[in-house]
Structures are given as C-alpha cells and as structure tokens.
Amino acid sequence: DGGITQSPKYLFRKEGQNVTLSCEQNLNHDAMYWYRQDPGQGLRLIYYSQIVNDFQKGDIAEGYSVSREKKESFPLTVTSAQKNPTAFYLCASSIDGLAGEGDTQYFGPGTRLTVL
Amino acid sequence: QKEVEQNSGPLSVPEGAIASLNCTYSDRVSQSFFWYRQYSGKSPELIMSIYSNGDKEDGRFTAQLNKASQYVSLLIRDSQPSDSATYLCAVNEVTGGGNKLTFGTGTQLKVEL
C-alpha cells in the first residue's frame, strides 16, 4: 500500500525534553510538509521541503527543527524551546510542490503530542 | 501573510439537502485550490481540487471557483449524516522554496436526520 505513515500515534513528553516525530512516505513524492493543528484551529505550516537536503521555514518554525536526508523521510524535532508544544502534528507530501497537481497534498494519520 | 477565510459554522442541513460551503482568499496570484474533509480526531482527506474558473463536479461534490472575486465554494448534494465533518479550504502560495498551502480554519458541517 502506498501512503504516508507517522509514528508514534500518541506521544507524551515532559517539559524540557526534545522529541522527534517520524514521517515516512512511499509515494515517491519530492515535497514534504509539517503542520500543527490546535483544537478548533486550521493547519499552520511549520517546515516544508521541496527536495532532499533542502527545507524552508513555515509560519511557525520557532522551537522546531527538521532534516531531509532521504526522499522518503522528513522527521520533525520538537525542542524544549517550543513554549506550547501540545498539539496534533500532521505530515503531508505532494508530487513536487509545484502548481496544479503537484500542489496536491496528502496527509498522514497524525501524531498527538501532549506535554505533561 | 496570505489569508484564507471560512465561516466556522456549524452549518446544519437536513439529510438529502444541498450543503454550500464558502471560502475567500487574499492572494490574487493563487493557482490551485483544494477542499479537504476532516473528521474529528482524524487527519484531513482530499475531497476536490480545482485550478480554473467555473465548476468541477465529482459525484455528489461540486467545486466552484471565481478568481475575479477570489472566491471558491463546495456544494454537497444529497447530504448524508456521514458528510458531517469539518471542511477545510486550502489555497496555494508560490514561494522561492516551492509552493505551500494556506488553510482556512474550516467550516463544521452537521447533517441532521
């Protein structure tokens, strides 16, 4: 089955700890994205990557870091600098991040992070 | 900051009726427009994409785009209780590092028996 996987589904973190969320896709997509969703809110872009070894900050990148060493993987690290990290984190991918069909993003199932 | 505006709802319609969801956007050069459906606690799933002015139909769903008015809508015919969800409008923004999508906050739809 082709798709996007995220792990873990639920994650609990103590204050002051860094945690890494996994995102893997086997769709052969070039572009990948990380979003954060808070209750009753839309999706806010954290980071995005159009190609391997390159990524761009989104609207709320502070307190987060990413890497894109492989085409199929785009892990997100939530650092202790992120003041309010409790949220639903969504990973997405698209063919190439260009106009038209290439813009169409498909989402993984998400990771729900709770800071204790 | 590009903006995408949606009425948060809830929008309540009786089963079998037409549900009309609306979205306006601020970026005049946007080229790609999407509707996603999100059930509570789940990730968004793509319903429709539209790239040119006019209507695009797929089953019970019709997307309508008017670039001059910067307006995109989604019509759901013969609404079913299973259509009850939050509908997210998304619009592309061209950047030097590849396109990205800006999402509205979503409209909650409730289809009542």
PDB file of all heavy atoms in Angstrom, chain B residues 38-77:
ATOM      1  N   GLN B  38     -12.256  16.757   7.181  1.00  0.00           N
ATOM      2  CA  GLN B  38     -11.570  16.266   8.377  1.00  0.00           C
ATOM      3  C   GLN B  38     -12.598  15.836   9.410  1.00  0.00           C
ATOM      4  O   GLN B  38     -13.351  16.666   9.924  1.00  0.00           O
ATOM      5  CB  GLN B  38     -10.635  17.335   8.965  1.00  0.00           C
ATOM      6  CG  GLN B  38      -9.785  16.821  10.112  1.00  0.00           C
ATOM      7  CD  GLN B  38      -8.774  17.831  10.617  1.00  0.00           C
ATOM      8  OE1 GLN B  38      -8.960  19.037  10.490  1.00  0.00           O
ATOM      9  NE2 GLN B  38      -7.681  17.346  11.210  1.00  0.00           N
ATOM     10  N   TYR B  39     -12.612  14.539   9.706  1.00  0.00           N
ATOM     11  CA  TYR B  39     -13.437  14.041  10.794  1.00  0.00           C
ATOM     12  C   TYR B  39     -12.727  14.303  12.120  1.00  0.00           C
ATOM     13  O   TYR B  39     -11.492  14.393  12.163  1.00  0.00           O
ATOM     14  CB  TYR B  39     -13.709  12.546  10.629  1.00  0.00           C
ATOM     15  CG  TYR B  39     -14.585  12.208   9.442  1.00  0.00           C
ATOM     16  CD1 TYR B  39     -14.078  11.499   8.350  1.00  0.00           C
ATOM     17  CD2 TYR B  39     -15.919  12.585   9.409  1.00  0.00           C
ATOM     18  CE1 TYR B  39     -14.873  11.182   7.263  1.00  0.00           C
ATOM     19  CE2 TYR B  39     -16.725  12.273   8.323  1.00  0.00           C
ATOM     20  CZ  TYR B  39     -16.192  11.575   7.257  1.00  0.00           C
ATOM     21  OH  TYR B  39     -16.999  11.265   6.174  1.00  0.00           O
ATOM     22  N   SER B  40     -13.500  14.400  13.187  1.00  0.00           N
ATOM     23  CA  SER B  40     -12.947  14.727  14.497  1.00  0.00           C
ATOM     24  C   SER B  40     -11.863  13.726  14.902  1.00  0.00           C
ATOM     25  O   SER B  40     -12.081  12.509  14.873  1.00  0.00           O
ATOM     26  CB  SER B  40     -14.062  14.726  15.541  1.00  0.00           C
ATOM     27  OG  SER B  40     -13.549  15.043  16.815  1.00  0.00           O
ATOM     28  N   GLY B  41     -10.694  14.239  15.235  1.00  0.00           N
ATOM     29  CA  GLY B  41      -9.587  13.402  15.679  1.00  0.00           C
ATOM     30  C   GLY B  41      -8.807  12.727  14.572  1.00  0.00           C
ATOM     31  O   GLY B  41      -7.859  11.987  14.846  1.00  0.00           O
ATOM     32  N   LYS B  42      -9.175  12.981  13.321  1.00  0.00           N
ATOM     33  CA  LYS B  42      -8.510  12.348  12.177  1.00  0.00           C
ATOM     34  C   LYS B  42      -7.761  13.379  11.343  1.00  0.00           C
ATOM     35  O   LYS B  42      -7.889  14.581  11.558  1.00  0.00           O
ATOM     36  CB  LYS B  42      -9.539  11.627  11.297  1.00  0.00           C
ATOM     37  CG  LYS B  42     -10.348  10.570  12.020  1.00  0.00           C
ATOM     38  CD  LYS B  42      -9.476   9.433  12.505  1.00  0.00           C
ATOM     39  CE  LYS B  42     -10.317   8.334  13.124  1.00  0.00           C
ATOM     40  NZ  LYS B  42      -9.452   7.219  13.646  1.00  0.00           N
ATOM     41  N   SER B  43      -6.995  12.905  10.381  1.00  0.00           N
ATOM     42  CA  SER B  43      -6.258  13.803   9.502  1.00  0.00           C
ATOM     43  C   SER B  43      -7.130  14.205   8.314  1.00  0.00           C
ATOM     44  O   SER B  43      -8.101  13.515   7.978  1.00  0.00           O
ATOM     45  CB  SER B  43      -4.975  13.129   9.027  1.00  0.00           C
ATOM     46  OG  SER B  43      -5.265  11.981   8.261  1.00  0.00           O
ATOM     47  N   PRO B  44      -6.810  15.322   7.669  1.00  0.00           N
ATOM     48  CA  PRO B  44      -7.597  15.768   6.512  1.00  0.00           C
ATOM     49  C   PRO B  44      -7.462  14.813   5.323  1.00  0.00           C
ATOM     50  O   PRO B  44      -6.388  14.251   5.090  1.00  0.00           O
ATOM     51  CB  PRO B  44      -6.990  17.135   6.176  1.00  0.00           C
ATOM     52  CG  PRO B  44      -6.277  17.566   7.411  1.00  0.00           C
ATOM     53  CD  PRO B  44      -5.780  16.307   8.032  1.00  0.00           C
ATOM     54  N   GLU B  45      -8.554  14.657   4.575  1.00  0.00           N
ATOM     55  CA  GLU B  45      -8.518  13.877   3.348  1.00  0.00           C
ATOM     56  C   GLU B  45      -9.019  14.739   2.198  1.00  0.00           C
ATOM     57  O   GLU B  45      -9.976  15.517   2.351  1.00  0.00           O
ATOM     58  CB  GLU B  45      -9.349  12.600   3.470  1.00  0.00           C
ATOM     59  CG  GLU B  45     -10.793  12.821   3.865  1.00  0.00           C
ATOM     60  CD  GLU B  45     -11.584  11.536   3.963  1.00  0.00           C
ATOM     61  OE1 GLU B  45     -11.392  10.639   3.116  1.00  0.00           O
ATOM     62  OE2 GLU B  45     -12.417  11.432   4.889  1.00  0.00           O
ATOM     63  N   LEU B  46      -8.387  14.614   1.059  1.00  0.00           N
ATOM     64  CA  LEU B  46      -8.714  15.448  -0.096  1.00  0.00           C
ATOM     65  C   LEU B  46     -10.096  15.081  -0.653  1.00  0.00           C
ATOM     66  O   LEU B  46     -10.393  13.913  -0.873  1.00  0.00           O
ATOM     67  CB  LEU B  46      -7.655  15.252  -1.183  1.00  0.00           C
ATOM     68  CG  LEU B  46      -7.858  16.061  -2.452  1.00  0.00           C
ATOM     69  CD1 LEU B  46      -7.599  17.543  -2.173  1.00  0.00           C
ATOM     70  CD2 LEU B  46      -6.924  15.554  -3.551  1.00  0.00           C
ATOM     71  N   ILE B  47     -10.918  16.118  -0.871  1.00  0.00           N
ATOM     72  CA  ILE B  47     -12.227  15.931  -1.488  1.00  0.00           C
ATOM     73  C   ILE B  47     -12.193  16.384  -2.947  1.00  0.00           C
ATOM     74  O   ILE B  47     -12.618  15.669  -3.841  1.00  0.00           O
ATOM     75  CB  ILE B  47     -13.308  16.731  -0.728  1.00  0.00           C
ATOM     76  CG1 ILE B  47     -13.435  16.218   0.705  1.00  0.00           C
ATOM     77  CG2 ILE B  47     -14.647  16.638  -1.454  1.00  0.00           C
ATOM     78  CD1 ILE B  47     -13.909  14.796   0.803  1.00  0.00           C
ATOM     79  N   MET B  48     -11.713  17.597  -3.173  1.00  0.00           N
ATOM     80  CA  MET B  48     -11.733  18.176  -4.518  1.00  0.00           C
ATOM     81  C   MET B  48     -10.533  19.096  -4.696  1.00  0.00           C
ATOM     82  O   MET B  48     -10.076  19.733  -3.746  1.00  0.00           O
ATOM     83  CB  MET B  48     -12.987  19.023  -4.732  1.00  0.00           C
ATOM     84  CG  MET B  48     -14.303  18.285  -4.733  1.00  0.00           C
ATOM     85  SD  MET B  48     -14.591  17.426  -6.273  1.00  0.00           S
ATOM     86  CE  MET B  48     -14.905  18.801  -7.388  1.00  0.00           C
ATOM     87  N   SER B  49     -10.069  19.191  -5.928  1.00  0.00           N
ATOM     88  CA  SER B  49      -9.115  20.223  -6.319  1.00  0.00           C
ATOM     89  C   SER B  49      -9.695  20.941  -7.531  1.00  0.00           C
ATOM     90  O   SER B  49     -10.444  20.343  -8.323  1.00  0.00           O
ATOM     91  CB  SER B  49      -7.767  19.606  -6.673  1.00  0.00           C
ATOM     92  OG  SER B  49      -7.901  18.688  -7.737  1.00  0.00           O
ATOM     93  N   ILE B  50      -9.369  22.218  -7.667  1.00  0.00           N
ATOM     94  CA  ILE B  50      -9.848  22.991  -8.812  1.00  0.00           C
ATOM     95  C   ILE B  50      -8.806  24.021  -9.156  1.00  0.00           C
ATOM     96  O   ILE B  50      -8.199  24.634  -8.266  1.00  0.00           O
ATOM     97  CB  ILE B  50     -11.247  23.622  -8.535  1.00  0.00           C
ATOM     98  CG1 ILE B  50     -11.811  24.279  -9.798  1.00  0.00           C
ATOM     99  CG2 ILE B  50     -11.220  24.560  -7.355  1.00  0.00           C
ATOM    100  CD1 ILE B  50     -13.294  24.617  -9.684  1.00  0.00           C
ATOM    101  N   TYR B  51      -8.568  24.225 -10.458  1.00  0.00           N
ATOM    102  CA  TYR B  51      -7.478  25.091 -10.886  1.00  0.00           C
ATOM    103  C   TYR B  51      -7.941  26.208 -11.822  1.00  0.00           C
ATOM    104  O   TYR B  51      -7.203  27.177 -12.035  1.00  0.00           O
ATOM    105  CB  TYR B  51      -6.395  24.269 -11.601  1.00  0.00           C
ATOM    106  CG  TYR B  51      -5.944  23.067 -10.805  1.00  0.00           C
ATOM    107  CD1 TYR B  51      -6.194  21.780 -11.256  1.00  0.00           C
ATOM    108  CD2 TYR B  51      -5.256  23.212  -9.604  1.00  0.00           C
ATOM    109  CE1 TYR B  51      -5.789  20.668 -10.532  1.00  0.00           C
ATOM    110  CE2 TYR B  51      -4.848  22.107  -8.876  1.00  0.00           C
ATOM    111  CZ  TYR B  51      -5.117  20.841  -9.344  1.00  0.00           C
ATOM    112  OH  TYR B  51      -4.720  19.733  -8.620  1.00  0.00           O
ATOM    113  N   SER B  52      -9.124  26.072 -12.436  1.00  0.00           N
ATOM    114  CA  SER B  52      -9.581  27.088 -13.386  1.00  0.00           C
ATOM    115  C   SER B  52     -10.997  27.533 -13.029  1.00  0.00           C
ATOM    116  O   SER B  52     -11.741  26.815 -12.353  1.00  0.00           O
ATOM    117  CB  SER B  52      -9.532  26.543 -14.810  1.00  0.00           C
ATOM    118  OG  SER B  52     -10.252  25.349 -14.915  1.00  0.00           O
ATOM    119  N   ASN B  53     -11.358  28.713 -13.491  1.00  0.00           N
ATOM    120  CA  ASN B  53     -12.676  29.279 -13.200  1.00  0.00           C
ATOM    121  C   ASN B  53     -13.800  28.356 -13.675  1.00  0.00           C
ATOM    122  O   ASN B  53     -13.677  27.693 -14.698  1.00  0.00           O
ATOM    123  CB  ASN B  53     -12.839  30.642 -13.876  1.00  0.00           C
ATOM    124  CG  ASN B  53     -12.168  31.761 -13.118  1.00  0.00           C
ATOM    125  OD1 ASN B  53     -12.066  31.728 -11.897  1.00  0.00           O
ATOM    126  ND2 ASN B  53     -11.686  32.748 -13.846  1.00  0.00           N
ATOM    127  N   GLY B  54     -14.878  28.350 -12.897  1.00  0.00           N
ATOM    128  CA  GLY B  54     -16.030  27.552 -13.284  1.00  0.00           C
ATOM    129  C   GLY B  54     -16.319  26.474 -12.268  1.00  0.00           C
ATOM    130  O   GLY B  54     -15.925  26.562 -11.108  1.00  0.00           O
ATOM    131  N   ASP B  55     -17.026  25.464 -12.719  1.00  0.00           N
ATOM    132  CA  ASP B  55     -17.449  24.365 -11.859  1.00  0.00           C
ATOM    133  C   ASP B  55     -16.690  23.092 -12.193  1.00  0.00           C
ATOM    134  O   ASP B  55     -16.339  22.839 -13.335  1.00  0.00           O
ATOM    135  CB  ASP B  55     -18.945  24.091 -12.045  1.00  0.00           C
ATOM    136  CG  ASP B  55     -19.819  25.241 -11.588  1.00  0.00           C
ATOM    137  OD1 ASP B  55     -19.257  26.251 -11.088  1.00  0.00           O
ATOM    138  OD2 ASP B  55     -21.049  25.140 -11.719  1.00  0.00           O
ATOM    139  N   LYS B  56     -16.463  22.283 -11.162  1.00  0.00           N
ATOM    140  CA  LYS B  56     -15.883  20.958 -11.334  1.00  0.00           C
ATOM    141  C   LYS B  56     -16.687  19.990 -10.486  1.00  0.00           C
ATOM    142  O   LYS B  56     -16.831  20.203  -9.284  1.00  0.00           O
ATOM    143  CB  LYS B  56     -14.416  20.948 -10.916  1.00  0.00           C
ATOM    144  CG  LYS B  56     -13.756  19.579 -11.048  1.00  0.00           C
ATOM    145  CD  LYS B  56     -12.312  19.631 -10.576  1.00  0.00           C
ATOM    146  CE  LYS B  56     -11.665  18.255 -10.650  1.00  0.00           C
ATOM    147  NZ  LYS B  56     -10.258  18.281 -10.140  1.00  0.00           N
ATOM    148  N   GLU B  57     -17.227  18.952 -11.114  1.00  0.00           N
ATOM    149  CA  GLU B  57     -18.108  18.022 -10.419  1.00  0.00           C
ATOM    150  C   GLU B  57     -17.437  16.670 -10.247  1.00  0.00           C
ATOM    151  O   GLU B  57     -16.746  16.174 -11.131  1.00  0.00           O
ATOM    152  CB  GLU B  57     -19.411  17.862 -11.217  1.00  0.00           C
ATOM    153  CG  GLU B  57     -20.461  17.031 -10.539  1.00  0.00           C
ATOM    154  CD  GLU B  57     -21.777  17.000 -11.323  1.00  0.00           C
ATOM    155  OE1 GLU B  57     -22.172  18.049 -11.852  1.00  0.00           O
ATOM    156  OE2 GLU B  57     -22.371  15.907 -11.418  1.00  0.00           O
ATOM    157  N   ASP B  58     -17.658  16.070  -9.078  1.00  0.00           N
ATOM    158  CA  ASP B  58     -17.171  14.721  -8.799  1.00  0.00           C
ATOM    159  C   ASP B  58     -18.184  14.057  -7.882  1.00  0.00           C
ATOM    160  O   ASP B  58     -18.190  14.298  -6.676  1.00  0.00           O
ATOM    161  CB  ASP B  58     -15.789  14.772  -8.146  1.00  0.00           C
ATOM    162  CG  ASP B  58     -15.197  13.391  -7.918  1.00  0.00           C
ATOM    163  OD1 ASP B  58     -15.847  12.373  -8.274  1.00  0.00           O
ATOM    164  OD2 ASP B  58     -14.078  13.301  -7.377  1.00  0.00           O
ATOM    165  N   GLY B  59     -19.050  13.241  -8.484  1.00  0.00           N
ATOM    166  CA  GLY B  59     -20.082  12.585  -7.695  1.00  0.00           C
ATOM    167  C   GLY B  59     -21.041  13.588  -7.085  1.00  0.00           C
ATOM    168  O   GLY B  59     -21.595  14.436  -7.783  1.00  0.00           O
ATOM    169  N   ARG B  60     -21.212  13.539  -5.777  1.00  0.00           N
ATOM    170  CA  ARG B  60     -22.125  14.481  -5.097  1.00  0.00           C
ATOM    171  C   ARG B  60     -21.477  15.835  -4.813  1.00  0.00           C
ATOM    172  O   ARG B  60     -22.133  16.735  -4.306  1.00  0.00           O
ATOM    173  CB  ARG B  60     -22.592  13.859  -3.779  1.00  0.00           C
ATOM    174  CG  ARG B  60     -23.430  12.599  -3.932  1.00  0.00           C
ATOM    175  CD  ARG B  60     -23.994  12.134  -2.594  1.00  0.00           C
ATOM    176  NE  ARG B  60     -22.977  11.756  -1.628  1.00  0.00           N
ATOM    177  CZ  ARG B  60     -22.723  12.410  -0.500  1.00  0.00           C
ATOM    178  NH1 ARG B  60     -23.405  13.503  -0.188  1.00  0.00           N
ATOM    179  NH2 ARG B  60     -21.787  11.971   0.331  1.00  0.00           N
ATOM    180  N   PHE B  61     -20.210  15.969  -5.128  1.00  0.00           N
ATOM    181  CA  PHE B  61     -19.475  17.182  -4.813  1.00  0.00           C
ATOM    182  C   PHE B  61     -19.259  18.049  -6.066  1.00  0.00           C
ATOM    183  O   PHE B  61     -18.928  17.531  -7.125  1.00  0.00           O
ATOM    184  CB  PHE B  61     -18.113  16.844  -4.205  1.00  0.00           C
ATOM    185  CG  PHE B  61     -18.196  16.062  -2.918  1.00  0.00           C
ATOM    186  CD1 PHE B  61     -18.101  14.682  -2.927  1.00  0.00           C
ATOM    187  CD2 PHE B  61     -18.364  16.703  -1.708  1.00  0.00           C
ATOM    188  CE1 PHE B  61     -18.172  13.950  -1.746  1.00  0.00           C
ATOM    189  CE2 PHE B  61     -18.437  15.996  -0.522  1.00  0.00           C
ATOM    190  CZ  PHE B  61     -18.340  14.623  -0.547  1.00  0.00           C
ATOM    191  N   THR B  62     -19.432  19.366  -5.899  1.00  0.00           N
ATOM    192  CA  THR B  62     -19.116  20.318  -6.957  1.00  0.00           C
ATOM    193  C   THR B  62     -18.306  21.455  -6.353  1.00  0.00           C
ATOM    194  O   THR B  62     -18.744  22.081  -5.388  1.00  0.00           O
ATOM    195  CB  THR B  62     -20.379  20.905  -7.601  1.00  0.00           C
ATOM    196  OG1 THR B  62     -21.134  19.850  -8.200  1.00  0.00           O
ATOM    197  CG2 THR B  62     -20.010  21.934  -8.666  1.00  0.00           C
ATOM    198  N   ALA B  63     -17.138  21.699  -6.922  1.00  0.00           N
ATOM    199  CA  ALA B  63     -16.329  22.850  -6.532  1.00  0.00           C
ATOM    200  C   ALA B  63     -16.553  23.965  -7.542  1.00  0.00           C
ATOM    201  O   ALA B  63     -16.667  23.710  -8.741  1.00  0.00           O
ATOM    202  CB  ALA B  63     -14.849  22.480  -6.464  1.00  0.00           C
ATOM    203  N   GLN B  64     -16.634  25.195  -7.049  1.00  0.00           N
ATOM    204  CA  GLN B  64     -16.834  26.355  -7.908  1.00  0.00           C
ATOM    205  C   GLN B  64     -15.732  27.367  -7.605  1.00  0.00           C
ATOM    206  O   GLN B  64     -15.458  27.657  -6.443  1.00  0.00           O
ATOM    207  CB  GLN B  64     -18.208  26.981  -7.637  1.00  0.00           C
ATOM    208  CG  GLN B  64     -19.372  26.045  -7.916  1.00  0.00           C
ATOM    209  CD  GLN B  64     -20.705  26.646  -7.526  1.00  0.00           C
ATOM    210  OE1 GLN B  64     -20.834  27.259  -6.473  1.00  0.00           O
ATOM    211  NE2 GLN B  64     -21.710  26.469  -8.380  1.00  0.00           N
ATOM    212  N   LEU B  65     -15.128  27.911  -8.657  1.00  0.00           N
ATOM    213  CA  LEU B  65     -14.033  28.862  -8.500  1.00  0.00           C
ATOM    214  C   LEU B  65     -14.320  30.129  -9.291  1.00  0.00           C
ATOM    215  O   LEU B  65     -14.688  30.074 -10.461  1.00  0.00           O
ATOM    216  CB  LEU B  65     -12.710  28.251  -8.978  1.00  0.00           C
ATOM    217  CG  LEU B  65     -11.487  29.158  -8.975  1.00  0.00           C
ATOM    218  CD1 LEU B  65     -11.165  29.657  -7.571  1.00  0.00           C
ATOM    219  CD2 LEU B  65     -10.288  28.430  -9.578  1.00  0.00           C
ATOM    220  N   ASN B  66     -14.138  31.273  -8.639  1.00  0.00           N
ATOM    221  CA  ASN B  66     -14.255  32.582  -9.283  1.00  0.00           C
ATOM    222  C   ASN B  66     -13.028  33.391  -8.877  1.00  0.00           C
ATOM    223  O   ASN B  66     -12.983  33.973  -7.792  1.00  0.00           O
ATOM    224  CB  ASN B  66     -15.538  33.276  -8.847  1.00  0.00           C
ATOM    225  CG  ASN B  66     -15.768  34.603  -9.562  1.00  0.00           C
ATOM    226  OD1 ASN B  66     -14.807  35.323  -9.851  1.00  0.00           O
ATOM    227  ND2 ASN B  66     -17.002  34.934  -9.842  1.00  0.00           N
ATOM    228  N   LYS B  67     -12.023  33.394  -9.748  1.00  0.00           N
ATOM    229  CA  LYS B  67     -10.761  34.068  -9.409  1.00  0.00           C
ATOM    230  C   LYS B  67     -10.927  35.579  -9.344  1.00  0.00           C
ATOM    231  O   LYS B  67     -10.246  36.243  -8.567  1.00  0.00           O
ATOM    232  CB  LYS B  67      -9.680  33.695 -10.412  1.00  0.00           C
ATOM    233  CG  LYS B  67      -9.220  32.254 -10.304  1.00  0.00           C
ATOM    234  CD  LYS B  67      -8.058  31.981 -11.258  1.00  0.00           C
ATOM    235  CE  LYS B  67      -7.589  30.548 -11.131  1.00  0.00           C
ATOM    236  NZ  LYS B  67      -6.451  30.265 -12.044  1.00  0.00           N
ATOM    237  N   ALA B  68     -11.816  36.153 -10.152  1.00  0.00           N
ATOM    238  CA  ALA B  68     -12.024  37.603 -10.130  1.00  0.00           C
ATOM    239  C   ALA B  68     -12.545  38.053  -8.767  1.00  0.00           C
ATOM    240  O   ALA B  68     -12.158  39.099  -8.247  1.00  0.00           O
ATOM    241  CB  ALA B  68     -12.982  38.021 -11.231  1.00  0.00           C
ATOM    242  N   SER B  69     -13.401  37.241  -8.171  1.00  0.00           N
ATOM    243  CA  SER B  69     -13.962  37.555  -6.853  1.00  0.00           C
ATOM    244  C   SER B  69     -13.156  36.923  -5.727  1.00  0.00           C
ATOM    245  O   SER B  69     -13.479  37.136  -4.545  1.00  0.00           O
ATOM    246  CB  SER B  69     -15.421  37.081  -6.774  1.00  0.00           C
ATOM    247  OG  SER B  69     -16.210  37.715  -7.756  1.00  0.00           O
ATOM    248  N   GLN B  70     -12.134  36.141  -6.066  1.00  0.00           N
ATOM    249  CA  GLN B  70     -11.286  35.457  -5.081  1.00  0.00           C
ATOM    250  C   GLN B  70     -12.147  34.625  -4.144  1.00  0.00           C
ATOM    251  O   GLN B  70     -12.075  34.761  -2.906  1.00  0.00           O
ATOM    252  CB  GLN B  70     -10.420  36.481  -4.334  1.00  0.00           C
ATOM    253  CG  GLN B  70      -9.419  37.149  -5.286  1.00  0.00           C
ATOM    254  CD  GLN B  70      -8.618  38.253  -4.626  1.00  0.00           C
ATOM    255  OE1 GLN B  70      -8.669  39.398  -5.043  1.00  0.00           O
ATOM    256  NE2 GLN B  70      -7.882  37.902  -3.615  1.00  0.00           N
ATOM    257  N   TYR B  71     -12.903  33.750  -4.748  1.00  0.00           N
ATOM    258  CA  TYR B  71     -13.944  33.006  -4.037  1.00  0.00           C
ATOM    259  C   TYR B  71     -13.965  31.581  -4.564  1.00  0.00           C
ATOM    260  O   TYR B  71     -13.930  31.351  -5.772  1.00  0.00           O
ATOM    261  CB  TYR B  71     -15.269  33.715  -4.325  1.00  0.00           C
ATOM    262  CG  TYR B  71     -16.506  33.094  -3.784  1.00  0.00           C
ATOM    263  CD1 TYR B  71     -17.006  33.466  -2.548  1.00  0.00           C
ATOM    264  CD2 TYR B  71     -17.205  32.144  -4.537  1.00  0.00           C
ATOM    265  CE1 TYR B  71     -18.177  32.903  -2.061  1.00  0.00           C
ATOM    266  CE2 TYR B  71     -18.376  31.585  -4.058  1.00  0.00           C
ATOM    267  CZ  TYR B  71     -18.852  31.980  -2.826  1.00  0.00           C
ATOM    268  OH  TYR B  71     -20.009  31.439  -2.348  1.00  0.00           O
ATOM    269  N   VAL B  72     -14.018  30.624  -3.629  1.00  0.00           N
ATOM    270  CA  VAL B  72     -14.148  29.219  -4.014  1.00  0.00           C
ATOM    271  C   VAL B  72     -15.189  28.584  -3.098  1.00  0.00           C
ATOM    272  O   VAL B  72     -15.246  28.909  -1.898  1.00  0.00           O
ATOM    273  CB  VAL B  72     -12.784  28.494  -3.952  1.00  0.00           C
ATOM    274  CG1 VAL B  72     -12.159  28.566  -2.584  1.00  0.00           C
ATOM    275  CG2 VAL B  72     -12.891  27.067  -4.414  1.00  0.00           C
ATOM    276  N   SER B  73     -16.019  27.726  -3.658  1.00  0.00           N
ATOM    277  CA  SER B  73     -17.068  27.109  -2.858  1.00  0.00           C
ATOM    278  C   SER B  73     -17.134  25.611  -3.116  1.00  0.00           C
ATOM    279  O   SER B  73     -16.596  25.107  -4.106  1.00  0.00           O
ATOM    280  CB  SER B  73     -18.421  27.759  -3.145  1.00  0.00           C
ATOM    281  OG  SER B  73     -18.798  27.501  -4.480  1.00  0.00           O
ATOM    282  N   LEU B  74     -17.790  24.917  -2.204  1.00  0.00           N
ATOM    283  CA  LEU B  74     -18.024  23.478  -2.325  1.00  0.00           C
ATOM    284  C   LEU B  74     -19.497  23.211  -2.076  1.00  0.00           C
ATOM    285  O   LEU B  74     -20.023  23.625  -1.038  1.00  0.00           O
ATOM    286  CB  LEU B  74     -17.169  22.706  -1.314  1.00  0.00           C
ATOM    287  CG  LEU B  74     -17.347  21.186  -1.332  1.00  0.00           C
ATOM    288  CD1 LEU B  74     -16.747  20.594  -2.614  1.00  0.00           C
ATOM    289  CD2 LEU B  74     -16.683  20.543  -0.107  1.00  0.00           C
ATOM    290  N   LEU B  75     -20.142  22.553  -3.036  1.00  0.00           N
ATOM    291  CA  LEU B  75     -21.525  22.142  -2.872  1.00  0.00           C
ATOM    292  C   LEU B  75     -21.558  20.635  -2.667  1.00  0.00           C
ATOM    293  O   LEU B  75     -20.883  19.886  -3.386  1.00  0.00           O
ATOM    294  CB  LEU B  75     -22.355  22.500  -4.108  1.00  0.00           C
ATOM    295  CG  LEU B  75     -22.430  23.979  -4.478  1.00  0.00           C
ATOM    296  CD1 LEU B  75     -23.238  24.163  -5.754  1.00  0.00           C
ATOM    297  CD2 LEU B  75     -23.037  24.782  -3.351  1.00  0.00           C
ATOM    298  N   ILE B  76     -22.345  20.197  -1.681  1.00  0.00           N
ATOM    299  CA  ILE B  76     -22.540  18.774  -1.433  1.00  0.00           C
ATOM    300  C   ILE B  76     -24.017  18.482  -1.636  1.00  0.00           C
ATOM    301  O   ILE B  76     -24.862  18.968  -0.879  1.00  0.00           O
ATOM    302  CB  ILE B  76     -22.099  18.378  -0.009  1.00  0.00           C
ATOM    303  CG1 ILE B  76     -20.660  18.820   0.268  1.00  0.00           C
ATOM    304  CG2 ILE B  76     -22.228  16.869   0.181  1.00  0.00           C
ATOM    305  CD1 ILE B  76     -20.211  18.593   1.701  1.00  0.00           C
ATOM    306  N   ARG B  77     -24.315  17.729  -2.674  1.00  0.00           N
ATOM    307  CA  ARG B  77     -25.723  17.373  -2.951  1.00  0.00           C
ATOM    308  C   ARG B  77     -26.100  16.122  -2.181  1.00  0.00           C
ATOM    309  O   ARG B  77     -25.243  15.293  -1.831  1.00  0.00           O
ATOM    310  CB  ARG B  77     -25.903  17.128  -4.451  1.00  0.00           C
ATOM    311  CG  ARG B  77     -25.798  18.373  -5.299  1.00  0.00           C
ATOM    312  CD  ARG B  77     -26.028  18.030  -6.779  1.00  0.00           C
ATOM    313  NE  ARG B  77     -25.012  17.093  -7.259  1.00  0.00           N
ATOM    314  CZ  ARG B  77     -23.804  17.455  -7.596  1.00  0.00           C
ATOM    315  NH1 ARG B  77     -23.418  18.710  -7.505  1.00  0.00           N
ATOM    316  NH2 ARG B  77     -22.942  16.549  -8.043  1.00  0.00           N
TER     317      ARG B  77
END
